């Protein structure tokens, strides 16, 4: 069910869709959201963001590492994902079977993953069973067992996943374009071939060594969403996690990949009836001031591409655009088509339209309303709310910026959209998979040259 605060937000959005001069979300709503969120530190300095949800039986806890795929050395890129994948499979005094029985008995779940810039383990369950499930979760964080058989299974699954993705050209186009988008040694990516070779060397000792390195209070922060009394939350989290010591550690700060027009196209020949096209380009990082305008611009681009290329011209089975925002941003356009020449030309035309068209105030208001509705629906569930707070703490050092974000969207003008389009819709890198007898590279080269 949607809580009362969220309902007031949605009502405000609906009302303001008719009154574009009004704020997308009222200041009163922002204040209500902020008042329910508390930030404190454990005794060892680990920050905790606690969002209290009145009358909620559910509790969501997220234990985070400011450490991800990018921070691993080039020759150990696959080790962090494997470590987090296997962490929840067993811990000291908590066998895999005991974890399964406890999770089933108390309607809870524990999941761990490693991303590009942040890694996380989460506990979802009921507040009534907090005392039963927190010890299990803490054991997984503090003392994972990394059993040999569990690791071997995870390695086999990872190998199968990589090999399977190669058989899916739609997914594999990401590999094709990444080979030219990222320079050698860029922290965000290594090839699947290298990843496969690295998997073989992973063993329990290597995972335990990495866990010891990352069990470091300077890397951690915690997000909790639920209705547990604040004093109990502080007491219990300190009991389980305040013993984690602080140690110096070096992390990688990524930079935007440079554009090289001579290496902006990568084509892979396959005798298939559909061309798969993936285009990548630089966009601002999440913490940058122009990130909201670029994000809204990409949503407009995606809709315009769908309307023109799929709906009006029937050139593409699927076409869309979106942005990936970390400390650096990555823009993406993807299309599948049996008419690659016409589709690439149409993509160029849509891009020029967005660069030149002065969108009306009403058109921009409609995009803002749609965006803000989707944005705040993430607050409907504890998990999505917790993840959003985590995201804003990581990139803005302020979880409350989550609630103020619609004000940034609200301030975007048609000129801002045009400026963002002209600033970022250029210097494209293109990956294509298709039948080489049906595709001419000059079509893509022309598109690249026209958009520098």
């Amino acid at each position: 069910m949607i809580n009362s605060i969220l309902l007031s937000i949605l009502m405000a959005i609906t009302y303001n869709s008719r009154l574009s001069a009004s704020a997308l979300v009222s200041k009163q709503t922002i204040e209500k959201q902020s008042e329910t969120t508390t930030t404190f530190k454990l005794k060892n300095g680990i920050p905790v963001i606690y969002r209290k949800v009145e009358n909620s039986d559910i509790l969501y806890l997220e234990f985070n590492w400011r450490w991800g795929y990018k921070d691993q050395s080039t020759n150990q890129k696959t080790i962090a994902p494997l470590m987090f994948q296997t962490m929840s499979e067993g811990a000291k005094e908590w066998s895999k079977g005991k974890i399964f029985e406890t999770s089933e008995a108390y309607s809870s779940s524990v999941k761990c993953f490693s991303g590009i810039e942040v890694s996380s383990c989460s506990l979802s369950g009921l507040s009534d069973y907090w005392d039963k499930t927190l010890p299990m979760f803490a054991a997984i964080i503090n003392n994972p067992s990394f059993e040999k058989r569990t690791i071997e299974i995870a390695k086999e699954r990872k190998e199968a996943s990589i090999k399977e993705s190669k058989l899916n050209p739609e997914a594999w186009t990401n590999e094709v374009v990444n080979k030219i988008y990222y320079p050698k040694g860029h922290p965000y990516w290594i090839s699947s071939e290298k990843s496969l070779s690295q998997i073989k060397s992973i063993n329990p000792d290597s995972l335990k060594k990495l866990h010891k390195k990352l069990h470091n209070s300077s890397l951690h922060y915690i997000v909790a969403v639920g209705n547990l009394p604040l004093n109990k939350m502080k007491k219990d989290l300190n009991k389980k996690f305040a013993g984690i010591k602080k140690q110096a550690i070096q992390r990688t700060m990524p930079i935007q990949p440079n554009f090289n027009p001579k290496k902006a196209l990568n084509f892979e020949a396959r005798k298939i009836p559909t061309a798969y096209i993936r285009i990548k380009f630089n966009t601002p990082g999440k913490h940058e001031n122009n990130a909201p305008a670029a994000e809204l611009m990409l949503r407009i681009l995606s809709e315009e591409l769908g309307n023109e290329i799929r709906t009006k011209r029937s050139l593409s089975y699927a076409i869309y655009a979106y942005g990936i925002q970390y400390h650096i941003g990555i823009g993406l356009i993807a299309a599948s088509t049996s008419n690659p020449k016409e589709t690439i030309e149409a993509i160029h035309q849509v891009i020029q339209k967005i660069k030149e068209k002065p969108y009306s105030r009403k058109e921009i208001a409609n995009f803002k309303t749609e965006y803000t509705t989707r944005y705040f629906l993430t607050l409907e569930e504890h998990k999505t709310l917790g993840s959003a707070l985590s995201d804003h703490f990581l990139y803005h050092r302020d979880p409350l910026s989550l609630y103020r974000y619609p004000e940034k969207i609200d301030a975007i003008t048609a000129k801002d959209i045009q400026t963002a389009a002209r600033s970022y819709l250029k210097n494209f890198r293109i990956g294509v998979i298709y039948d080489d007898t049906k595709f001419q590279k000059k079509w893509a080269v022309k598109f690249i040259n026209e958009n520098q």
Side-chain angles (χ1 to χ4, degrees):
M1 293 179 65
I2 298 175
N3 63 47
S4 58
I5 294 177
L6 180 60
L7 183 60
S8 69
I9 292 170
L10 294 177
M11 290 175 65
I13 292 171
T14 303
Y15 177 72
N16 284 303
S17 66
R18 300 189 300 271
L19 299 174
S20 59
S22 302
L24 289 169
V25 178
S26 69
K27 289 185 178 180
Q28 292 85 350
T29 298
I30 295 171
E31 289 173 1
K32 285 182 180 180
Q33 295 277 9
S34 301
E35 288 169 2
T36 61
T37 305
T38 303
T39 301
F40 60 92
K41 290 185 177 181
L42 302 186
K43 293 176 181 178
N44 57 352
I46 294 177
V48 180
I49 300 96
Y50 179 38
R51 166 61 190 267
K52 190 171 179 61
V53 181
E54 297 290 347
N55 304 316
S56 172
D57 296 325
I58 299 171
L59 194 142
Y60 175 78
L61 182 67
E62 192 175 273
F63 189 97
N64 297 290
W65 287 255
R66 295 187 189 92
W67 182 276
Y69 186 81
K70 74 172 178 61
D71 298 298
Q72 285 298 114
S73 61
T74 303
N75 62 350
Q76 289 189 320
K77 282 292 182 188
T78 59
I79 192 169
L82 259 293
M83 187 194 83
F84 284 98
Q85 185 180 339
T86 54
M87 275 183 69
S88 61
E89 297 290 325
K92 186 178 180 181
E93 299 179 0
W94 284 83
S95 66
K96 184 175 181 178
K98 186 178 179 181
I99 289 173
F100 176 80
E101 291 172 2
T102 302
S103 298
E104 187 176 56
Y106 298 111
S107 303
S108 62
S109 68
V110 177
K111 296 180 180 179
C112 298
F113 86 101
S114 180
I116 293 286
E117 293 193 323
V118 66
S119 302
S120 176
C121 286
S122 64
L123 170 68
S124 300
L126 301 176
S127 298
D128 289 346
Y129 302 139
W130 168 259
D131 291 331
K132 301 291 185 181
T133 57
L134 181 62
M136 172 184 68
F137 183 67
I140 287 168
I141 299 298
N142 294 320
N143 296 294
S145 56
F146 299 122
E147 295 179 359
K148 184 176 180 180
R149 180 55 185 156
T150 299
I151 294 168
E152 290 304 316
I153 292 172
K155 288 166 64 174
E156 290 171 4
R157 288 175 177 170
K158 181 65 175 177
E159 288 174 344
S161 175
I162 292 173
K163 292 174 181 176
E164 184 180 356
S165 68
K166 192 169 185 176
L167 300 176
N168 179 353
E170 183 175 16
W172 193 251
T173 50
N174 196 55
E175 180 87 4
V176 173
V177 73
N178 278 348
K179 287 182 177 180
I180 54 171
Y181 184 72
Y182 293 113
K184 184 179 180 180
H186 194 279
Y188 277 19
W189 184 76
I190 62 166
S191 68
S192 293
E193 291 86 353
K194 288 184 179 179
S195 184
L196 281 170
S197 68
Q198 290 180 14
I199 290 173
K200 301 182 186 304
S201 64
I202 296 174
N203 56 51
D205 288 340
S206 63
L207 297 191
K208 289 175 183 177
K209 183 178 179 180
L210 178 61
H211 177 267
K212 184 178 180 180
K213 175 182 177 180
L214 300 187
H215 201 54
N216 178 353
S217 63
S218 67
L219 293 177
H220 300 319
Y221 66 98
I222 298 170
V223 178
V225 180
N227 194 30
L228 207 68
L230 179 60
N231 287 339
K232 181 170 178 57
M233 174 73 69
K234 289 181 178 180
K235 178 182 176 182
D236 292 349
L237 291 180
N238 268 302
K239 183 178 180 181
K240 296 300 182 183
F241 302 118
I244 301 174
K245 298 185 183 304
K246 184 176 183 179
Q247 53 186 312
I249 193 166
Q250 186 173 356
R251 296 164 62 227
T252 302
M253 291 308 296
I255 59 173
Q256 286 279 13
N258 291 325
F259 172 72
N260 182 347
K262 294 181 180 180
K263 296 181 179 179
L265 170 65
N266 191 22
F267 178 80
E268 183 174 300
R270 293 195 192 184
K271 299 299 182 183
I272 53 177
T274 301
Y276 293 92
I277 302 168
R278 187 157 296 205
I279 303 169
K280 286 191 173 181
F281 48 98
N282 297 348
T283 59
K286 183 160 287 189
H287 61 288
E288 296 182 49
N289 292 333
N290 48 355
E295 192 172 355
L296 188 60
M297 179 273 292
L298 288 171
R299 289 182 180 272
I300 293 172
L301 172 63
S302 189
E303 184 164 320
E304 294 281 17
L305 288 170
N307 288 340
E308 182 65 27
I309 296 171
R310 184 178 180 184
T311 304
K312 291 182 181 179
R313 303 197 198 184
S314 298
L315 288 173
S316 178
Y317 310 117
I319 186 163
Y320 54 89
Y322 62 87
I324 305 169
Q325 288 183 325
Y326 301 121
H327 279 104
I328 65 173
I330 304 152
L332 184 146
I333 300 171
S336 55
T337 177
S338 58
N339 299 284
K341 179 178 183 293
E342 293 84 352
T343 299
I344 291 171
E345 289 174 347
I347 291 172
H348 172 69
Q349 291 166 10
V350 171
I351 287 171
Q352 293 307 116
K353 174 184 176 181
I354 292 179
K355 288 180 177 180
E356 301 301 330
K357 178 182 176 180
Y359 284 92
S360 70
R361 187 175 180 180
K362 182 178 179 180
E363 287 174 316
I364 296 295
N366 288 337
F367 283 117
K368 288 179 181 179
T369 300
E370 179 188 359
Y371 175 86
T372 310
T373 302
R374 288 197 303 266
Y375 174 83
F376 269 103
L377 283 174
T378 63
L379 307 188
E380 185 177 348
E381 296 182 0
H382 289 56
K383 182 183 185 304
T384 52
L385 172 55
S387 296
L389 286 166
S390 173
D391 199 53
H392 277 257
F393 179 78
L394 178 66
Y395 291 105
H396 301 285
R397 293 291 184 266
D398 177 14
L400 300 185
S401 68
L402 168 66
Y403 310 131
R404 299 190 296 270
Y405 196 80
E407 293 181 330
K408 294 184 178 180
I409 296 294
D410 209 7
I412 295 170
T413 65
K415 185 178 180 180
D416 294 329
I417 297 295
Q418 195 173 69
T419 299
R422 292 174 178 176
S423 298
Y424 303 111
L425 295 182
K426 62 182 182 180
N427 295 342
F428 298 115
R429 289 74 132 187
I430 306 179
V432 181
I433 300 176
Y434 194 40
D435 188 331
D436 57 353
T437 64
K438 299 178 181 179
F439 186 83
Q440 297 182 37
K441 293 182 180 180
K442 65 180 182 181
W443 303 337
V445 171
K446 181 174 184 262
F447 173 82
I448 291 165
N449 292 335
E450 288 175 334
N451 291 282
Q452 290 186 41

